[in-house]
Amino acid sequence: LALGNFVKSRKLTEKFCSDKLPRPMVIKFRALQRQGSEFHKASADDQLAGQLQISEGVKVVYVKRLRLQGNTIYAIDDRFIRPVRNEHLTVQQIMNSSLGDYLRNCEGVRVARSTIDLEAKSANEGQASQFGIRKGHRLLVRKIVYFEERDDLVYVGTTICGADLIKYKATLSS
């Protein structure tokens, strides 16, 4: 019986690039499909209202997407979008483009900066069930926040993926 982390040799790559800040970040997806699993308006609770810098009870759009390679889930996205930045969002747009593309092209948002926190964590029972792995298996958790030019927050989100399935490459220049 062997325990520990095992590394797959072939991984999906997600790139976070910015040719010249403060231009919007470009997110490129390779060899993946997106499947929308939830898309609805929700009332912001106290914690979410604080994160989005809005009043408690304000309606936000919640988007949960499953990222697939073949039939295998390799990542789960959760996003909360401020009310003034989700007026034209449809399920079709979620399926066919990144939220960054939607915000830029449909809502006219110019992302001035973002914060990304990347952390390795152990899968809890629910995550293990969703990914088809054992409880305690290593996951990468990426928390992201987008800001506009006046430091207005656009959205907050989390992506959880199998640590052995993906790698991230960040290239930033000024």
Side-chain angles (χ1 to χ4, degrees):
L1 177 67
L3 295 175
N5 292 332
F6 299 91
V7 179
K8 289 189 172 203
S9 60
R10 246 180 97 83
K11 298 180 182 186
L12 295 172
T13 300
E14 290 196 8
K15 288 185 173 184
F16 300 91
C17 305
S18 176
D19 296 334
K20 288 188 177 180
L21 295 176
R23 291 178 63 209
M25 292 182 75
V26 176
I27 301 175
K28 295 183 179 179
F29 302 102
R30 293 184 183 165
L32 65 89
Q33 302 168 352
R34 264 181 242 121
Q35 185 180 73
S37 62
E38 287 187 50
F39 172 68
H40 61 270
K41 291 202 177 208
S43 295
D45 62 17
D46 184 50
Q47 181 181 3
L48 181 60
Q51 288 178 319
L52 287 172
Q53 303 168 355
I54 58 176
S55 300
E56 186 175 351
V58 169
K59 296 284 186 194
V60 299
V61 166
Y62 171 68
V63 176
K64 180 174 187 172
R65 296 188 299 188
L66 305 179
R67 295 184 186 200
L68 305 171
Q69 183 174 27
N71 293 322
T72 303
I73 296 173
Y74 81 89
I76 299 171
D77 288 338
D78 289 293
R79 302 287 186 265
F80 290 94
I81 307 170
R82 285 177 61 112
V84 295
R85 294 302 182 204
N86 62 42
E87 302 192 6
H88 306 102
L89 187 59
T90 65
V91 172
Q92 189 67 26
Q93 288 164 317
I94 292 170
M95 298 292 287
N96 293 321
S97 68
S98 73
L99 289 178
D101 288 344
Y102 159 77
L103 290 166
R104 185 173 36 261
N105 298 330
C106 297
E107 296 291 345
V109 172
R110 294 187 50 140
V111 175
R113 70 180 181 91
S114 64
T115 62
I116 299 173
D117 295 325
L118 190 60
E119 181 179 2
K121 289 190 171 187
S122 297
N124 62 32
E125 284 186 35
Q127 293 162 337
S129 175
Q130 287 179 311
F131 283 100
I133 56 177
R134 284 194 222 167
K135 181 181 173 185
H137 188 89
R138 299 310 280 171
L139 297 173
L140 286 178
V141 178
R142 178 179 56 126
K143 295 181 181 178
I144 187 165
V145 182
Y146 276 13
F147 296 90
E148 289 185 88
E149 293 169 334
R150 292 183 319 254
D151 227 22
D152 292 335
L153 194 138
V154 178
Y155 80 69
V156 298
T158 302
T159 298
I160 300 173
C161 56
D164 60 342
L165 296 176
I166 197 163
K167 69 179 180 179
Y168 288 98
K169 178 180 180 180
T171 306
L172 302 174
S173 61
S174 57

